[in-house]
Amino acid sequence: MDNLSRRKALSLGVALGLVGLANPAQAWASTGSAKGAAAGTGPEWIWDDAADPLMVSMLQNGHVPAINTAWESWVDNNDPLPGGLPADFAAYLGRVNRMPSWADPAKLARAADFNRRRDTYLFMLYGLGSGIMSTVIPREAKSVYWSAGGADMQDRAAKTFTFGYDLAELNAFKPDGQFVVTANKTRVVHAAVRHLLPQSPHWRAVADETIPISAADILVTFHSLGTYVHRKLLDWKIPYPPADQEAFLHHWQVAVHLLGVPYEHIPKTWAEAERQAARVLDPILTPSTEGIELAEDLLGLTAQIDLGVTRGFLNEFVRYVLSNEVGDWLGLKRDYAAAALVRTAWPAFILFREGLSPVMPGTFYMFDQFVRALAMLFLNKGSSGKTTPITIPTGNRAA
Ligand code: HEM
């Protein structure tokens, strides 16, 4: 292990709250990532061997603007690769733009159906839970803030929605779906960011790592999305049979793999995912200057849409789905009346909505409008009603 790699591992260990472990890779090894057991081979050591060097060359040779233009028309999984791409970039996409051999079509079909059946809860949990949680994942907050996209959160949020709704669509992984392409575009964006962000003096001043977005970081984000939603559905006692749970995990396994995380590091069961999340996500959540600003941007944006609720309600809902501690970190102003309403009426709303209680709560229509409006926000593809194209950045946020 060279010194640079050791330094990276140690800084990652600190960030993941693993200081005190003799070997940070143990955190991953003990969660079932067998290959992570050996020092230097865990996901915190892995970036993206296939995409990273390619994107350095694309950026350095000025090809990125042409790629962004050429791939605008490349949307469906079965679209041919567009013309106008540099040959080595096209060859790379040709290699990676396919489903992994272990993807199980039956589970993916079930996941798609599950996403449809549960879309309102899912969009709400992803949007207000995972979305705001991302602002208290310090590495994510700092890299998102200081990358080019951080300067325009409305546009960035719309692009992130693209990933969410392409993943949730019934045909997401099928030839006429769009998710495989969206994931591959995202993978390439991440590769570009790994080259660009280290050139930002602002990012370097606050970062605890030399290269952002390792496979370990991607797994942390996966836990803030998939594992978090899985936990909440169980907490809220939403009907969620084992076959749905397995299918939901599987579609995330494929998604994370398409983002470049090697199969052997992806949790194989929810139990394994939970153990990994308890070690690598829960302990690292903490506020940062960047994250506080991003959260305000995101909640400000959401508040612009008519959700039929006040900003105080929104703040309290975020506190309810994340925690008061997170709410305090982010300075979300208290609204105690809304807090009491959320805590008592939301569980009653779920029971009634799921047919588990015959009693319709008086607040049913308010909550119903709220969940529908949030779902529409996603289903309408942001406020514009059309896909926001994912584009590769060529620089960083200026200040
Ligand atoms: C870009 C999703 C993990 C940092 C993107 C984009 C998507 C996305 C859809 C393209 C849209 C955009 O430009 O905003 C995901 C998913 C992840 C993940 C689904 C894991 C499951 C991470 C992690 C980090 C990160 C772990 C950092 C620690 C960034 C940055 C950009 C980006 C800095 C570029 C924004 C720009 O254009 O300036 N990600 N991401 N992402 N992501 Fe991720």
Side-chain angles (χ1 to χ4, degrees), residues 65-351:
I67 296 174
N68 281 332
T69 307
W71 82 6
E72 261 176 42
S73 60
W74 184 53
V75 177
D76 289 349
N77 298 336
N78 62 358
D79 277 347
L81 286 176
L85 297 174
D88 40 357
F89 189 80
Y92 159 81
L93 286 182
R95 282 194 302 278
V96 296
N97 193 56
R98 60 190 61 208
M99 293 291 279
S101 58
W102 46 267
D104 178 335
K107 283 188 188 169
L108 293 175
R110 180 152 191 140
D113 184 58
F114 172 74
N115 284 330
R116 182 186 55 76
R117 280 183 275 126
R118 295 282 170 239
D119 62 354
T120 47
Y121 301 123
L122 294 177
F123 289 137
M124 196 180 54
L125 284 169
Y126 284 139
L128 293 180
S130 311
I132 301 301
M133 196 194 300
S134 73
T135 70
V136 291
I137 298 175
R139 287 184 163 191
E140 197 172 336
K142 289 171 185 177
S143 54
V144 165
Y145 187 94
W146 288 115
S147 68
D152 182 350
M153 279 312 284
Q154 181 144 15
D155 184 60
R156 207 199 118 85
K159 286 175 180 163
T160 309
F161 286 175
T162 302
F163 190 95
Y165 56 68
D166 288 352
L167 176 61
E169 259 171 0
L170 266 180
N171 55 354
F173 295 92
K174 295 197 172 146
D176 60 341
Q178 304 183 343
F179 182 73
V180 181
V181 169
T182 295
N184 272 295
K185 286 183 176 177
T186 304
R187 179 175 174 181
V188 165
V189 168
H190 286 160
V193 167
R194 289 189 193 102
H195 179 62
L196 293 169
L197 262 188
Q199 299 170 39
S200 160
H202 304 291
W203 180 77
R204 282 204 310 272
V206 295
D208 67 342
E209 57 190 344
T210 44
I211 306 172
I213 325 183
S214 66
D217 291 331
I218 293 181
L219 287 165
V220 168
T221 302
F222 153 63
H223 291 307
S224 74
L225 292 153
T227 310
Y228 164 76
V229 166
H230 170 75
R231 282 179 184 171
K232 281 305 208 197
L233 293 176
L234 292 173
D235 270 8
W236 287 354
K237 306 205 168 25
I238 310 271
Y240 184 29
D244 280 352
Q245 297 186 28
E246 215 176 299
F248 186 62
L249 174 63
H250 189 65
H251 95 310
W252 266 112
Q253 290 170 323
V254 176
V256 166
H257 183 67
L258 290 172
L259 288 178
V261 177
Y263 176 76
E264 60 267 31
H265 296 299
I266 300 173
K268 302 298 174 291
T269 61
W270 278 122
E272 201 181 301
E274 277 290 355
R275 281 197 299 277
Q276 196 177 81
R279 281 175 179 266
V280 304
L281 174 69
D282 305 344
I284 59 128
L285 299 179
T286 200
S288 61
T289 312
E290 289 82 1
I292 291 170
E293 202 177 313
L294 290 177
E296 196 45 46
D297 281 351
L298 286 174
L299 285 171
L301 276 176
T302 315
Q304 283 171 24
I305 319 282
D306 180 13
L307 301 173
V309 297
T310 61
R311 174 64 202 265
F313 179 96
L314 204 55
N315 285 354
E316 291 298 339
F317 204 86
V318 170
R319 284 173 175 271
Y320 179 66
V321 293
L322 289 178
S323 68
N324 273 327
E325 188 181 31
V326 170
D328 290 345
W329 287 343
L330 296 173
L332 302 184
K333 287 211 184 67
R334 296 304 317 244
D335 177 336
Y336 291 100
L341 179 72
V342 171
R343 271 155 224 279
T344 53
W346 178 252
F349 169 79
I350 292 179
L351 284 177

Side-chain angles (χ1 to χ4, degrees), residues 21-32:
L21 285 178
N23 167 12
Q26 284 170 2
W28 297 97
S30 61
T31 61

